[in-house]
Amino acid sequence: MAFGFLGVLLAAGTAASALAAPAVSQLKDIPSGYTQTPMSIGGRVAAVSPEADGAVSQQWPGVYFETRFQGDSVAFHTGPGELILHVLVDGKLVQTLVKPQGVYRIGGLDNSEHLVRINVATESQAGANRFGGFLLPPGATPLPLQPRTRRLEFIGDSHTVGYGNISKSRECTEAEVWATTDNTRAYGPRVAGHYGADYRVNAISGRGIVRNFDGGTGDTLPEAYPFVLFDHSVRDTDTAWQPQVVVMALGTNDFSTPLKDAEPWKTRKALQEDYVQTYVAFVQSLRARYPQAQFVLWATNGAEGEIRAQVTKVVKQLQQSGETRVGFVPVDGLGMEGCHWHPSLADHQKIEDQLIQYIDRLPALP
């Protein structure tokens, strides 16, 4: 499976083409003569079934689909699933679709080479979504996608998801959080775009290393990580994905709320010790999975500095155990003006800038 990142750049080998008047329209059904065409996928997905003609289901944020072709139109099949999709043609946003379901046609293109990309913007904790692939009309020709050599992975919580990042207010309803969460504008995809890299975003809002927000139920991030879908029905066995850099930010949910009597840690110190040991073990498990990767852990000074202090301990313990390719980036000065005091677009820009400064000092990406 090939992967690709578009951002605002054309893929290598894709000719820049003058768009006529690109537009997306919904069709009643797949038109006669349209045929399935190859696509590349970024992020973790699961095949729906052997007879589903390449359809996949996905639940982790930051998933994207691309196809490249010669022609003046292309169709795609999506849904069911509650999500927001950005449709891009040759690096330009054509339309944003809210809760789409069915067959859609991208028309109004000049008859030349085009790269089409579908970005999933939303978080989907409640259930998996489905993408049925791209379809070309008679006369159009599929073209090979150019795989990229740079690969970045981002692991985290709501800060990495981009929770409420395009909101104009900190006060948000549940529906407003969903509508104003845009992972494509969070720091991870932005950093990947800077390097022209493929990326994966493995993040779930409200989850921590050993403790979820306010002691909530559900898998912690290390518990959920091994699976493609959150119900544990599909385990991730993909060994081909090998990122050069893994960026991690976990701890806000572990430490931002007081412990409750029913929780297993009777003291804050016990929580901190469990967090450090589990985070160290998580990074070590990822090291076994990604033997060549550089690990970058970052943290804010939230929870009165508790998060940063514990992440610093994690990095120090990893280094003392012989891990030489791990580092720490402190991130300060965030306004947290997104929904429920989450990073805004301006904050994601600051995080992006500081991570790029650090990554630029690492051994050069290929």
Side-chain angles (χ1 to χ4, degrees), residues 35-119:
T35 57
Q36 202 86 16
T37 190
M39 68 176 172
S40 66
I41 303 173
R44 292 199 281 184
V45 301
V48 172
S49 66
E51 63 275 7
D53 294 327
V56 296
S57 57
Q58 83 281 349
Q59 197 163 9
W60 292 96
V63 175
Y64 51 93
F65 309 94
E66 290 180 313
T67 194
R68 185 168 168 257
F69 64 96
Q70 170 89 32
D72 60 8
S73 67
V74 65
F76 62 92
H77 194 184
T78 187
E82 298 204 353
L83 75 174
I84 296 172
L85 300 179
H86 296 318
V87 181
L88 299 94
V89 178
D90 299 331
K92 296 180 180 179
L93 179 65
V94 172
Q95 193 164 330
T96 295
L97 303 176
V98 179
K99 299 183 180 180
Q101 181 170 337
V103 181
Y104 294 80
R105 179 181 180 272
I106 306 171
L109 311 178
D110 59 330
N111 192 0
S112 62
E113 294 183 12
H114 297 286
L115 179 64
V116 169
R117 177 184 175 100
I118 309 293
N119 280 331

Side-chain angles (χ1 to χ4, degrees), residues 6-349:
L6 180 58
V8 295
L9 301 176
L10 301 181
T14 300
S17 54
L19 300 182
V24 180
S25 57
Q26 187 168 12
L27 308 177
K28 290 184 178 180
D29 205 347
I30 299 174
S32 176
Y34 276 59
T35 57
Q36 202 86 16
T37 190
M39 68 176 172
S40 66
I41 303 173
R44 292 199 281 184
V45 301
V48 172
S49 66
E51 63 275 7
D53 294 327
V56 296
S57 57
Q58 83 281 349
Q59 197 163 9
W60 292 96
V63 175
Y64 51 93
F65 309 94
E66 290 180 313
T67 194
R68 185 168 168 257
F69 64 96
Q70 170 89 32
D72 60 8
S73 67
V74 65
F76 62 92
H77 194 184
T78 187
E82 298 204 353
L83 75 174
I84 296 172
L85 300 179
H86 296 318
V87 181
L88 299 94
V89 178
D90 299 331
K92 296 180 180 179
L93 179 65
V94 172
Q95 193 164 330
T96 295
L97 303 176
V98 179
K99 299 183 180 180
Q101 181 170 337
V103 181
Y104 294 80
R105 179 181 180 272
I106 306 171
L109 311 178
D110 59 330
N111 192 0
S112 62
E113 294 183 12
H114 297 286
L115 179 64
V116 169
R117 177 184 175 100
I118 309 293
N119 280 331
V120 178
T122 37
E123 184 174 17
S124 301
Q125 286 195 40
N129 301 300
R130 174 170 170 156
F131 187 77
F134 294 98
L135 304 134
L136 287 181
T141 305
L143 298 174
L145 283 146
Q146 304 295 326
R148 292 167 178 84
T149 58
R150 294 177 173 180
R151 297 170 298 277
L152 305 178
E153 181 166 332
F154 301 90
I155 299 173
D157 50 33
S158 55
H159 293 184
T160 302
V161 167
Y163 180 105
N165 58 345
I166 63 174
S167 174
K168 301 300 182 183
S169 171
R170 289 174 175 151
E171 301 301 319
C172 302
T173 63
E174 184 176 340
E176 288 168 340
V177 170
W178 182 86
T180 60
T181 294
D182 190 342
N183 183 255
T184 71
R185 303 178 73 180
Y187 74 87
R190 291 163 64 137
V191 171
H194 173 82
Y195 291 107
D198 298 321
Y199 64 86
R200 287 189 177 184
V201 178
N202 297 309
I204 309 175
S205 294
R207 308 301 173 89
I209 285 289
V210 296
R211 181 175 185 257
N212 298 331
F213 179 75
D214 201 30
T217 59
D219 285 347
T220 61
L221 206 288
E223 290 170 338
Y225 185 88
F227 301 95
V228 177
L229 302 178
F230 296 170
D231 63 3
H232 295 196
S233 61
V234 182
R235 182 176 285 273
D236 186 358
T237 59
D238 179 14
T239 58
W241 170 255
Q242 290 291 319
Q244 289 101 4
V245 180
V246 178
V247 178
M248 306 178 69
L250 287 160
T252 299
N253 295 307
D254 297 87
F255 299 117
S256 60
T257 55
L259 285 169
K260 298 178 178 179
D261 291 341
E263 293 190 74
W265 310 276
K266 299 309 176 186
T267 66
R268 206 71 178 179
K269 185 174 185 294
L271 171 63
Q272 293 168 356
E273 290 175 349
D274 191 11
Y275 169 88
V276 171
Q277 296 306 313
T278 304
Y279 205 160
V280 167
F282 186 33
V283 175
Q284 289 172 335
S285 71
L286 293 169
R287 165 59 70 214
R289 183 183 180 105
Y290 305 138
Q292 303 303 319
Q294 297 277 348
F295 288 89
V296 182
L297 279 60
W298 72 268
T300 69
N301 59 354
E304 299 181 343
E306 186 177 15
I307 303 168
R308 180 173 298 175
Q310 303 314 309
V311 176
T312 301
K313 291 178 184 178
V314 171
V315 174
K316 183 178 180 181
Q317 187 164 318
L318 284 164
Q319 291 172 339
Q320 290 176 340
S321 70
E323 177 60 70
T324 60
R325 286 169 292 170
V326 62
F328 174 68
V329 176
V331 175
D332 294 317
L334 303 184
M336 298 294 189
E337 295 180 351
C339 283
H340 304 147
W341 292 82
H342 278 75
S344 64
L345 291 180
D347 291 334
H348 281 279
Q349 180 69 62

